[in-house]
Amino acid sequence: MQTESERRYQSQLKLIDYQLNKIQAKLKQYESIGCILLNFENEKRSDIGRVVMSLITEIDRQTSGIQSAVENLKQLR
């Protein structure tokens, strides 16, 4: 039987996991936009595409690290 503290802990982990999944889904959409911008012949739009892709890569790297930490915490319980 779980204590109130354990239930809250599990609930918070699920919430973090859910939020990360939403962020990662949005990143996929933005990645598509970035790819489209990269392929423009217009130099400014192409530059914007590179910036967008760079930001997406960095955010993806950070959210993957958080996701990994959440999975590790789930294993500890």
Side-chain angles (χ1 to χ4, degrees):
M1 185 176 219
Q2 287 184 329
T3 66
E4 179 64 26
S5 176
E6 288 171 327
R7 280 193 296 276
R8 259 188 272 140
Y9 176 84
Q10 290 298 323
S11 175
Q12 290 300 309
L13 280 179
K14 287 179 184 176
L15 179 60
I16 291 168
D17 200 32
Y18 172 76
Q19 293 295 334
L20 283 171
N21 286 335
K22 282 178 43 177
I23 290 168
Q24 289 170 336
K26 280 291 185 191
L27 282 176
K28 296 259 185 255
Q29 290 176 348
Y30 294 137
E31 186 175 21
S32 296
I33 293 168
C35 286
I36 291 168
L37 288 171
L38 275 173
N39 290 319
F40 269 97
E41 290 184 24
N42 179 308
E43 190 175 328
K44 286 184 182 180
R45 286 188 181 177
S46 184
D47 288 346
I48 292 169
R50 276 191 280 287
V51 170
V52 168
M53 295 304 288
S54 176
L55 289 171
I56 289 168
T57 300
E58 180 61 23
I59 294 168
D60 188 48
R61 186 184 64 77
Q62 291 178 12
T63 57
S64 293
I66 295 168
Q67 187 76 40
S68 179
V70 167
E71 292 303 319
N72 288 341
L73 287 172
K74 287 179 181 178
Q75 303 275 328
L76 292 175
R77 283 293 173 154

